[in-house]
Amino acid sequence: MASTVSRAGSASGGLGWRTRDIVVAAIIGVVFGVVFQVWNVLWGATGGVFTFFPPAQNLFYGVWLVPAVLAPLVVRKPGAALFAELVAAGLSAVIGSQFGPDAILSGLVQGGAAELVFLVARYRTWAFPVLAIASIASAAAAWIHDWIVWYPTNALDVQLWIGLCMAVSALAITAGGSVLLARSLRDAGALKGFPAG
Amino acid sequence: MIVRRLEVEERALASPLGRTSPLLKLGIALLWLVALAFSYDVRPAAVVAAAAVVAGLALGRVGIRRLVGGVAPLWTVALGIGLTNTLFAGANSDPASAVLGVIGPLRLTLPGVLGGAGVAARVVAVAAVGVVFGQTTDSTRLVDALVQQAHAPERFAYGALAAYQAVPRLAAQLTTLRQARRIRGLRMGWHPRLMVGLLVLAVRHGDRLALAMDARGFGSGPRSRYREVRWSRVDAAMAAGSVVVAALAVLAGR
């Protein structure tokens, strides 16, 4: 796994975007935009299950962050994290989710934070630790954003619990899930011509 | 459900709000979001929600059914977020707060409940703005405005639009994949493995789409425009009105 994930250089040559890279990164965002529609409703509907300890619901937060890690892992171009997450968020905003225009703001901070980590790694290494750090950075940005916008009155200790749950979720679902999905895509032969293929 | 919500009614698109630049509407939505962030009070949220509903019905000619249908599923979310803010409010541990009740280890205080109600109202207000935006905005026009008015990179903007057109297709494929699981005797639920099949189909579709776009010279030279988007008087009027609403919302929270 490590050899395929961290292979330097690429079949797609350098850091310039081909049309393929653009459309595939965007469509990964769109797929998750569709998934978010289901997810947003489930998130609302399952809130009651977590009444005993609402911060635990954030253990599933990582789903919202997957495009910011999966798309760059597949196309490996500068800006892929931000682009895919914004496309996914934009779809949420156009369809009209409970987060409305705030979805775009969320997408911006979530994708932007992951993007910064890939930038620091200079778009060269795609090993698990980098993906994990990018996922956690994305979750951290989302945590700060949500605190300001959605949980302004929460006590500090509850916010820390929410942050911890989000970090665990980012590691397991966002980083782990992205690696598994990229592997399944490669095994299905869908990534031929991409660096991750 | 997803596909139906993507469709925008013709009369809504022809309305003053429909003819307003999508970019400006996005700006207004974000401005109102910022205006709401100044306080936890219910009143600013009520001002914004009322403005969104009135604008949607009167200026956007959005059907009342569509408006209610768009906001309705979000009541549970508003309640959930409101409840979290109420139960875990920092004010609940402040001995000076007026106690309304005690649930197990949790103290329920007046500032906690008021704060929770304010945040729940904020969710409803944001959702109402989002539904009105979605119901008066066509995605093609949004991308045209992003490119022509915000100077977003063309290849990315139109590449994303091309990917957006795949939504009905993806929704149909998701149904097929779920039915395929059912035929194999598996439960009809939302299994994570559905994602693999959906992504494989999506990436292959994206690949073919990119090939077709390249074959037609996508992004290979300066792009001519078929639909011009220009700033208009409608935009100026909407901008002025939205600033008044934002100011009212901020004042209402004082």
Side-chain angles (χ1 to χ4, degrees):
Chain A
M1 191 64 211
S3 66
T4 57
V5 169
S6 60
R7 187 172 58 198
S10 64
S12 57
L15 297 179
W17 287 75
R18 302 167 300 168
T19 305
R20 257 188 120 179
D21 300 318
I22 294 176
V23 178
V24 167
I27 216 159
I28 289 175
V30 169
V31 168
F32 277 88
V34 171
V35 170
F36 291 172
Q37 289 311 307
V38 179
W39 196 241
N40 293 341
V41 175
L42 280 181
W43 183 271
T46 56
V49 179
F50 298 97
T51 310
F52 70 99
F53 189 57
Q57 188 174 24
N58 291 279
L59 283 170
F60 297 96
Y61 199 99
V63 173
W64 277 308
L65 313 174
V66 175
V69 174
L70 180 61
L73 179 59
V74 167
V75 304
R76 303 192 185 180
K77 303 289 177 198
L82 187 59
F83 180 50
E85 190 70 45
L86 270 179
V87 167
L91 187 62
S92 274
V94 172
I95 295 180
S97 76
Q98 66 257 44
F99 309 109
D102 179 57
I104 293 178
L105 215 55
S106 295
L108 199 65
V109 300
Q110 292 163 356
E115 189 65 50
L116 273 180
V117 174
F118 294 127
L119 174 72
V120 168
R122 302 171 78 186
Y123 304 106
R124 278 187 197 156
T125 352
W126 300 93
F128 188 78
V130 175
L131 303 181
I133 294 169
S135 304
I136 290 182
S138 182
W143 178 65
I144 293 170
H145 163 274
D146 289 4
W147 194 353
I148 297 169
V149 178
W150 301 118
Y151 303 113
T153 71
N154 269 9
L156 181 64
D157 57 336
V158 177
Q159 266 313 117
L160 290 176
W161 275 113
I162 290 180
L164 186 69
C165 291
M166 283 169 73
V168 170
S169 181
L171 264 184
I173 298 180
T174 313
S178 293
V179 168
L180 289 179
L181 285 173
R183 189 188 288 169
S184 303
L185 279 173
R186 192 194 59 211
D187 291 349
L191 297 186
K192 289 211 178 74
F194 284 100
Chain B
M1 175 191 92
I2 292 162
V3 178
R4 197 167 50 80
R5 287 173 75 174
L6 262 182
E7 289 163 3
V8 180
E9 289 176 307
E10 279 302 323
R11 60 177 187 155
L13 282 182
S15 70
L17 202 54
R19 282 183 283 119
T20 306
S21 162
L23 196 66
L24 179 73
K25 280 187 276 183
L26 210 55
I28 293 174
L30 292 176
L31 171 73
W32 288 2
L33 195 66
V34 171
L36 287 181
F38 279 103
S39 85
Y40 320 138
D41 203 284
V42 180
R43 284 168 295 179
V47 169
V48 169
V53 170
V54 170
L57 294 177
L59 299 173
R61 290 186 217 131
V62 178
I64 195 152
R65 275 198 183 168
R66 280 185 167 251
L67 201 59
V68 172
V71 183
L74 315 173
W75 285 104
T76 52
V77 184
L79 282 175
I81 292 183
L83 199 66
T84 308
N85 277 284
T86 305
L87 291 179
F88 297 99
N92 286 351
S93 53
D94 182 352
S97 309
V99 182
L100 294 179
V102 177
I103 312 167
L106 296 167
R107 278 173 88 222
L108 215 55
T109 62
L110 187 60
V113 171
L114 288 179
V119 177
R122 186 188 288 187
V123 177
V124 174
V126 171
V129 173
V131 170
V132 172
F133 175 80
Q135 288 299 328
T136 59
T137 307
D138 171 58
S139 50
T140 307
R141 259 184 67 83
L142 173 62
V143 171
D144 284 338
L146 277 175
V147 170
Q148 295 180 30
Q149 295 180 318
H151 303 287
E154 285 178 359
R155 289 175 76 213
F156 288 88
Y158 288 107
L161 182 62
Y164 268 15
Q165 315 292 348
V167 169
R169 181 192 187 90
L170 292 171
Q173 285 169 340
L174 190 58
T175 309
T176 309
L177 287 164
R178 293 182 73 199
Q179 285 166 346
R181 283 180 61 79
R182 183 140 176 87
I183 287 169
R184 301 207 310 274
L186 300 164
R187 277 194 301 124
M188 190 67 181
W190 295 99
H191 195 277
R193 276 208 72 83
L194 284 167
M195 279 312 297
V196 176
L198 192 62
L199 271 171
V200 169
L201 291 168
V203 168
R204 285 196 181 134
H205 176 65
D207 249 351
R208 282 198 302 273
L209 205 57
L211 200 66
M213 288 160 76
D214 272 338
R216 287 161 182 79
F218 176 75
S220 58
R223 196 183 169 92
S224 56
R225 286 165 184 172
Y226 176 59
R227 300 167 300 261
E228 291 277 351
V229 183
R230 289 203 188 84
W231 295 111
S232 69
R233 283 190 195 145
V234 180
D235 293 324
M238 292 292 174
S242 71
V243 171
V244 173
V245 171
L248 281 177
V250 173
L251 287 176
R254 282 176 179 269

